[in-house]
Amino acid sequence: MDDQQAIERYRYMLRTAPPDDIERAHAEAFAQLTPEQRATVLRELAQQVPASEVAASDDPNSLARMATRAEMRQPATMERTFAGVPGPGLGGMFLSTLAGAFVGTAIADAFFNSEGTDTAGGENA
């Protein structure tokens, strides 16, 4: 799967999956990131959410809760926040890295299999 397909699937799942599934997939994806990458997520996302929702640490579950709440409150927050953020070992492709990790999770895999779709629903959001 190329970067664009990963981003399309990420967008689709954010629009259609239950929040609990989205949070679990975020947690699984964040667990795949390096500590430096998780610190980047916390730092950048903290600038986009109310102070009361900023995670106390960059552990995957805390980040997942913060990211999912941000998406539920204002869709596409993650994409707007990370589309151009460079990071250690990411070469400016942070969103692609995050989306790829997200859609590669067992949660996302089960979601797409149950949806019966092999693509992001053919949508370009």
Side-chain angles (χ1 to χ4, degrees), residues 37-95:
Q37 290 169 329
R38 285 195 304 273
T40 297
V41 171
L42 178 58
R43 182 180 63 249
E44 297 297 325
L45 196 53
Q47 296 175 36
Q48 306 299 319
V49 302
S52 62
E53 291 188 15
V54 174
S57 75
D58 64 3
D59 73 272
N61 291 327
S62 296
L63 290 177
R65 191 172 317 107
M66 184 169 80
T68 302
R69 286 180 181 171
E71 283 294 332
M72 296 300 107
R73 186 179 54 258
Q74 189 169 23
T77 295
M78 294 293 286
E79 188 167 351
R80 283 190 308 277
T81 303
F82 297 108
V85 173
L90 297 174
M93 301 294 276
F94 196 93
L95 181 63

